[in-house]
Amino acid sequence: MTTASVSSRLATVHFNVDDQAHIEVNGDNCVGCPSHPCLNFCPSGCFTAGDGGKIDYYYVGCLECGTCLIMCDRDAVRWSYPKGGYGISYRF
Ligand code: SF4
Ligand code: SF4
């Protein structure tokens, strides 16, 4: 059986990045979020710790898995797929 690391698998995907973000995070909702789970559950590391308990989000590299929409229980994530022709292309 062939095995490959997550990083080597991620290197096989292609992104056509739209100027307009398909996911937005309301950082005000993140203040007081007890454990900031998005820092761990996003497989692409799109969420990073910001100032004052807020979260910085960068949509480039998003795998469109939907985990953040399901796992954020404070209604901070506005989620949609990218416009047609944009976003991730899985080649394998
Ligand atoms: S889980 Fe949701 S509310 Fe909590 S820090 Fe992440 S985006 Fe913000
Ligand atoms: S959809 Fe998946 S990859 Fe994209 S930001 Fe949310 S958790 Fe991360």
Side-chain angles (χ1 to χ4, degrees), residues 22-23 41-47 57-59 61-69 77 79:
H22 65 286
I23 297 175
F41 66 56
C42 174
S44 198
C46 293
F47 295 81
Y57 175 77
Y58 193 52
Y59 66 98
C62 170
L63 302 173
E64 301 171 27
C65 65
T67 305
C68 53
L69 178 64
V77 177
W79 201 99

Side-chain angles (χ1 to χ4, degrees), residues 1-68:
M1 187 172 91
T2 304
T3 59
S5 66
V6 172
S7 57
S8 66
R9 288 172 191 244
L10 288 176
T12 68
V13 299
H14 172 76
F15 296 97
N16 186 17
V17 179
D18 191 358
D19 289 340
Q20 185 177 347
H22 65 286
I23 297 175
E24 293 178 357
V25 176
N26 181 352
D28 291 338
N29 290 22
C30 301
V31 177
C33 180
S35 58
H36 294 74
C38 51
L39 297 176
N40 297 311
F41 66 56
C42 174
S44 198
C46 293
F47 295 81
T48 55
D51 294 333
K54 293 189 176 184
I55 288 290
D56 291 330
Y57 175 77
Y58 193 52
Y59 66 98
V60 173
C62 170
L63 302 173
E64 301 171 27
C65 65
T67 305
C68 53

